[in-house]
Amino acid sequence: MDEKQRIEQLRIELHDHNYRYYVLNQPIISDQDFDFKMKELQELEARHPELADPNSPTQRVGSDLNQEFQQVAHKYPMLSLANTYSETDVEEWFNSVKKGLNGEDFEVCCEMKYDGLSISLTYEEGRLVRAVTRGDGVQGDDVTANVKTIQSIPLVLNPDAGYPSEFEIRGEILMPWKVFERLNAEREAAEEPLFANPRNAASGTLKSQKSELVASRQLDAYLYYLLGENLPAEGHFENLETARRWGFKISEGMRKVKTLKEVIDYINYWDTERKNLPVATDGIVLKVNSLRQQRALGFTAKSPRWAIAYKFKAERACTRLNEVTYQVGRTGAVTPVANMDPVQLAGTTVKRATLNNEDFIRSFDLHIGDYVYVEKGGEIIPKIVGVDIDQRPIIAQPVQFIKRCPECGTTLVRYEGEAAWYCPNDAGCPPQIKGRIEHFISRRAMNIDSLGPETIDDYFRHGLVHNVADLYDIDVQQINGDGSRTKSAMKIVNGIKASAQVPFERVVFALGIRFVGETSARLLARHFKTMDALASASLQDLQEVEGVGEVIAKSVVSYFHNPTNQLILERLRGYGLQMSLSEEQMQGASDKLAGKSIVISGVFSQHSRDEYKAIIEQNGGKNVGSISGKTSFILAGENMGPSKLQKAEKLGIAIVSEEEFLKMIE
C-alpha cells in the first residue's frame, strides 16, 4: 500500500472511530491506538501537502488564525416555534391540527428541546460544505471552520449510506454540563467572568474568531430536522432515523405517537428524566410527522402550525442566603447579587442570583441567613422568588443596601423615576470606564473586532487606556509584550485606525450615551447631521426628533455638557472619526418615502438589509419589523419568508422588488 492509499485508509478509519466514540458512545479501540493513528495521518499529510483535505480528521483541532464570519442566506428560512406552557395549551394545539387536517388521522413526533445554538449543516456528495447559524432566520453567520472541530458532527459520510447528493440537516450546538462546570471552574480560578449558562457558553464559543479555541471547548451537537429535494421518506421521524444510520447524532429519546394521552405521558416522563441528560434542555418539541400534512397545515405569521414547543416549568430549590454583594455596570447602575449555599438546579450548581435592585430586596424583606426559594427563569437565569419565613434565624439581620460604590467609594445616587442606585463617578469608576470602552469597540458600534473584554481589562490594568480616546494612542511597541506578538499587535493597531471610517450614526451609538440605543442614535444622527449640531442641541430641539422623549433628551444634554466628554470628543475628532453624515448621505436625503411604513424581507443583491434600512430613513420612510394593516409595502428580496408573504397577501399589502424600490427613490 502506497502512502496515498494509507492516507485515505486512515481517514476512513478515523472518521468511523470518531462516530463510534462521540455519537454511538461505543468505542472499539483505545484512546492510545486512536492517537497513534491520528499521529501517523498527520505525518503522512505533512509529507504530502498536495493531498490536503479540509474534511480530514486532522483538521478538527482548529486554527489559531482569526477569521471573519460571512453572512449566508438560508435556502429554507429558519423559523421559530410557538411556545406553550400547559397541558391545556398542548391539547388546544393538538385539536387545531386535527381541525386543520379535516379530521384526518396524524402522528406526532415528540423530541427533546435542546437549549443551545441553532445550526444548519449542508452536505454535498456526503461531505460537510457549510455550517450556518440561525441569524435572523433569513441569513446567518458561516461558522463552518468552527463546526468542523465538533467531533460529533460528521465531516464525511459513508459513501455506501445512500444519502441524497445534497441535503440540509439542522440541529443544536450544545456545551455538555460537565464541560460547562469545568470551564467555569477554570475561569473562576483565573478570576475571569463566569459564563451564565451552557447556552451562552456554547454560543460565545461557536462565535469565537479562533477555531482552535472552539476545538478545546468540546462542544456537542444533536440534529433534529432533515431538508432537501430527495428525502428518503415522507415522515419526519423516519427521515431522522435514516439520518442516524448515515452517521448523525439523533436523540435516543425521540418518539412517534398517535394520541394526546401519549403526548402528555411523554412530556411528564421527560419533565423528570431530563435531569439525567448530559446537556441542557428546556422543553419538548412536538411535530406533525407527515411532511405532506406539514405542507397542508402551513404557517402562521411567525411559526409553523404543524409544530409547537412545550416549555418545562422552572425548577425551584430552597437554600440559605449568606451574603449580598454588589456589581457596577457600564452605566454606573449598581446591581445586588445574592450569594447562597450551592444548590442543584436544572443540571447545574447555583450559588448566586441577581436581586435586581433595592426595591426588590425590600419586597421580600430579605435577611442575611434567610432560606430563600430559587428558580431558574426559562431554565437559565437564577432568581429568588420567595422566602421561607418560618426558617428565619432569630439573629438574622435585614439586608441593607450599600450607600457607597463598592469599586470607587463614591456616594451612590438614585435618580427620579429610577429603581436602581447609580455611581455618579463615571470618569473614575473602573467598571464604568471598562464597560464604556467595551461598548465602544463592540460589533454594532465601532466594530474593532481585534479587541475584546479581556484585552481591554489588561490594557486598563497596565494604564494604557482610561477612556475610549486612549485607544487611538496605542502603538505596536506598547502591546507587543516580549516581541513575539508583533503580528497580532499590528492587527489590533490597524483595526483601531480602520474604525475611523465607521459611519457617523454608529459613532453616536458608540459614545455610550445613557438611554441612547442603536435606533435612537441613528435618529439623532440623521436629524442633526453633525456632532457639533447634536452637541449644541437644546432639550426642546432634541424632543422634536421622532422617537426621542424627555429621558433621552436630558441624557444627551447631560453628556455633551460634561467637560470630560467634551475633551474626549475633541480627541476623537483629531483622530479622524466621522463627526458628520457623509456627503452621499447629506445629498441623498429626500422625502420620497415620507409617511410610508416599510417592512424589509429576504436577501438582496445590490445593498445589504442594513443599507436599505438607512436608505429608507434617508428618504423619509419608516422601518417597521412586522406586517400590519398600516404597512405601506414590503421591500422583498430573494427567499422572502413564506409567513410574511402569506400575511401580505391576506392584508392586500404591495410587494416591491429591489429593482422597483431603487427606481422609486431615483
Side-chain angles (χ1 to χ4, degrees), residues 387-456:
V387 180
D388 187 348
I389 300 296
D390 294 338
Q391 291 196 67
R392 176 172 289 168
I394 297 175
I395 60 171
Q397 295 296 312
V399 175
Q400 299 292 336
F401 205 92
I402 58 174
K403 302 298 182 185
R404 293 184 174 276
C405 175
E407 297 288 343
C408 67
T410 301
T411 300
L412 301 180
V413 298
R414 189 169 180 175
Y415 301 109
E416 184 180 352
E418 291 278 342
W421 285 89
Y422 288 84
C423 170
N425 182 24
D426 57 350
C429 186
Q432 295 188 64
I433 295 170
K434 290 186 286 186
R436 282 196 302 276
I437 298 173
E438 289 168 15
H439 170 76
F440 185 83
I441 67 173
S442 64
R443 182 177 179 183
R444 304 195 75 87
M446 301 305 289
N447 193 27
I448 308 176
D449 62 0
S450 49
L451 292 174
E454 294 86 356
T455 312
I456 294 301

Side-chain angles (χ1 to χ4, degrees), residues 94-114:
F94 192 90
N95 290 333
S96 71
V97 169
K98 185 182 296 185
K99 182 178 179 181
L101 294 174
N102 298 315
E104 181 183 356
D105 289 340
F106 64 95
E107 296 175 313
V108 176
C109 183
C110 306
E111 309 166 18
M112 300 306 302
K113 185 176 183 296
Y114 293 105

